Amino acid sequence: MAVWALGINHTTAPLDLRGRFAFALDQIAPTLHSLRTDVGNRLGRQPEAAILSTCNRTEIYCAGAQNEIDTTVEWLAQSGQVNPALLRSHSYALHDASVARHAFRVASGLDSMVLGEAQILGQLKDAVRVAEEAGALGSTLNQLFQRSFAVAKEVRTSTEIGAHSISMSAAAVRLAAQLFEDLTRVKVLFVGAGEMIELAATHFAARSPKGIAIANRTLERGEKLAGRFGAETMRLADLPTRLHEFDIVVSSTASQLPIIGLGAVERALKARKHRPMFMVDLAVPRDIEPEVKELEDVYLYTVDDLAHVVQSGHANRQAAVAQAEAIIDAGVQSFVHWMDQRTAVPLIQQLQSQTDEWRAVELARARRMLARGEDVDAVLEALSRGLTQKMLHGPMAELRTGDAEARQRATQAIEHFFLRKER
């Protein structure tokens, strides 16, 4: 069984390229079906597969009879409508043990933009759950991910890897505070109602802004989140006419196209008499058109723009990183050992099947002898002799062969398996 992974992340690919390969959670199941069908046509059998897609990364994990990384690259390039060569130049391909190491580092927060952040573990668990529900997981990937969860838990409980981390939301608040000296005098608009917006709203609400509004495609979900923060709700359709009311806009939706355009922001600035706006686009693909950043009175930050802020405190975490890497090393060795053992499973199954067949034959023979009234000791003697002869027939035949090299191999095997003293 081969294991391989293909991915792009915040260190290998620019934001707009990552946006082409961003899959919402409800898109994962049909995407997995497409991937497994395409690769399965090459393998003759569909591989195991899982897809992890966040604002910072898209990664495909597969297991199959043979490595099909090239097919996986071609499939992903086609899904994002880019040239395979371009994708290869911005991606990483991993095999076997390196896949385990990468998965364990991702789950533990060591490969994140925010070193030690815990959110990625929940996102990975969601990806595994969706893959399992789609029937795309088998024993190999299931073992890989369950071990990654266990390693992440040990890293989290045994080290201080997350003790000094700064979240994307905290970084956004820090930057906003640099622009607006008093956050209690500003109004904040959150676009979307997912986990990223919930985290951002929690951080901004702690600074007691003058007002909070949540705009979402479905009012019901927006109202549920708004209730936690005493916020008002509004429809996405009302954004163009109300955007000027807000000093801070934080957006993170699953839209495949920008929902806040250049024209809408220009009109908002005019209505605000060019008072500054602070905007944070946490979405991949982008929610806010990139041209907005060129406007003089707008301070627009994307997930990549926040990178340097979240890296602060990096030196304080180096000792914890070393501890975490040691835990991961042990986990990788354990997984590789499990994979190595798996290669012997078919032979073990054949051996067990053969010995069960021999046993069944001798038991049937013994029962017939007992039914004829033969002596019990004689039946047991015949049973044991029959089993012994069947087990030794192959080795004895090899010892009688005319091939000297074959006899030498047989002699060494017999001495190893039958004649060695217990250690």
Side-chain angles (χ1 to χ4, degrees):
M1 181 67 73
V3 181
W4 68 95
L6 172 69
I8 58 173
N9 65 19
H10 59 283
T11 64
T12 69
L15 175 61
D16 289 332
L17 183 62
R18 297 203 308 273
R20 286 182 169 272
F21 303 103
F23 301 104
L25 204 59
D26 58 1
Q27 296 176 312
I28 298 294
T31 303
L32 281 171
H33 175 73
S34 170
L35 166 65
R36 298 179 72 217
T37 299
D38 193 66
V39 178
N41 288 338
R42 303 288 185 93
L43 287 175
R45 180 181 178 184
Q46 289 193 345
E48 301 177 34
I51 296 175
L52 171 64
S53 186
T54 73
C55 61
N56 287 330
R57 71 182 65 245
T58 292
E59 295 178 343
I60 299 171
Y61 295 84
C62 293
Q66 64 189 48
N67 190 308
E68 283 290 338
I69 191 69
D70 289 339
T71 305
T72 309
V73 169
E74 290 170 7
W75 173 86
L76 185 59
Q78 184 178 12
S79 72
Q81 297 182 329
V82 302
N83 188 292
L86 175 64
L87 177 59
R88 283 190 179 91
S89 69
H90 288 284
S91 64
Y92 41 93
L94 306 167
H95 312 276
D96 301 320
S98 60
V99 175
R101 182 177 302 282
H102 182 76
F104 296 169
R105 295 186 85 256
V106 168
S108 302
L110 267 67
D111 196 61
S112 297
M113 180 182 290
V114 183
L115 185 63
E117 59 99 1
Q119 185 182 7
I120 186 62
L121 181 58
Q123 293 168 327
L124 183 58
K125 288 183 175 180
D126 286 340
V128 172
R129 174 182 53 79
V130 171
E132 189 170 22
E133 290 173 353
L137 282 192
S139 59
T140 301
L141 285 190
N142 186 62
Q143 188 73 208
L144 172 70
F145 291 124
Q146 293 307 317
R147 286 170 183 263
S148 73
F149 301 154
V151 166
K153 181 179 180 181
E154 186 175 355
V155 167
R156 186 67 51 181
T157 56
S158 302
T159 75
E160 294 186 356
I161 192 67
H164 308 284
S165 66
I166 301 173
S167 71
M168 301 288 283
S169 299
V173 172
R174 180 179 296 186
L175 289 170
Q178 293 175 5
L179 179 63
F180 302 104
E181 293 183 2
D182 186 0
L183 292 184
T184 63
R185 301 174 63 182
V186 302
K187 295 183 69 176
V188 186
L189 170 65
F190 296 101
V191 184
E195 187 176 2
M196 290 291 285
I197 289 296
E198 185 175 356
L199 288 170
T202 301
H203 280 79
F204 274 99
R207 304 297 287 268
S208 303
K210 181 179 179 181
I212 298 176
I214 295 175
N216 196 50
R217 199 172 303 278
T218 56
L219 277 181
E220 182 180 354
R221 188 170 179 181
E223 287 170 350
K224 183 178 179 181
L225 185 59
R228 287 185 50 192
F229 303 107
E232 68 165 309
T233 57
M234 56 187 281
R235 296 184 183 277
L236 284 182
D238 297 330
L239 270 180
T241 57
R242 295 198 56 189
L243 193 60
H244 68 279
E245 300 175 23
F246 302 96
D247 307 289
I248 297 173
V249 179
V250 182
S251 187
S252 180
T253 74
S255 174
Q256 295 300 302
L257 297 172
I259 57 176
I260 300 177
L262 177 64
V265 178
E266 286 176 328
R267 289 190 293 275
L269 286 173
K270 185 176 181 180
R272 291 172 58 83
K273 301 188 185 323
H274 291 276
R275 282 182 294 115
M277 293 181 71
F278 179 81
M279 307 184 80
V280 180
D281 189 350
L282 297 175
V284 179
R286 297 175 189 258
D287 275 347
I288 303 173
E289 287 187 344
E291 293 80 6
V292 169
K293 194 167 188 174
E294 304 303 319
L295 296 176
E296 187 174 346
D297 298 304
V298 173
Y299 298 82
L300 171 62
Y301 294 87
T302 67
V303 288
D304 288 356
D305 294 327
L306 295 174
H308 69 281
V309 180
V310 302
Q311 293 304 322
S312 61
H314 181 75
N316 296 330
R317 295 193 291 272
Q318 290 312 298
V321 169
Q323 289 178 285
E325 293 287 10
I327 293 170
I328 289 169
D329 284 342
V332 171
Q333 291 175 13
S334 177
F335 179 73
V336 169
H337 178 66
W338 178 82
M339 286 286 288
D340 288 343
Q341 287 182 317
R342 293 280 295 170
T343 62
V345 169
L347 181 60
I348 291 171
Q349 291 174 334
Q350 286 181 314
L351 185 59
Q352 288 177 333
S353 177
Q354 180 65 78
T355 54
D356 284 345
E357 183 181 327
W358 290 339
R359 187 171 60 85
V361 169
E362 293 304 320
L363 277 174
R365 180 168 169 257
R367 290 191 179 101
R368 289 195 299 271
M369 293 172 67
L370 289 172
R372 292 197 298 267
E374 295 189 30
D375 181 68
V376 173
D377 286 339
V379 172
L380 291 175
E381 182 71 21
L383 174 64
S384 63
R385 188 183 300 110
L387 283 173
T388 302
Q389 288 174 344
K390 282 181 169 56
M391 286 189 292
L392 294 180
H393 174 73
M396 296 297 285
E398 287 297 311
L399 286 175
R400 296 190 185 102
T401 184
D403 186 338
E405 186 178 342
R407 285 200 306 273
Q408 179 62 26
R409 288 198 305 268
T411 298
Q412 292 174 347
I414 290 168
E415 289 175 347
H416 179 75
F417 290 113
F418 295 103
L419 302 180
R420 67 175 178 174
K421 294 181 179 179
E422 293 297 326
R423 299 191 179 110

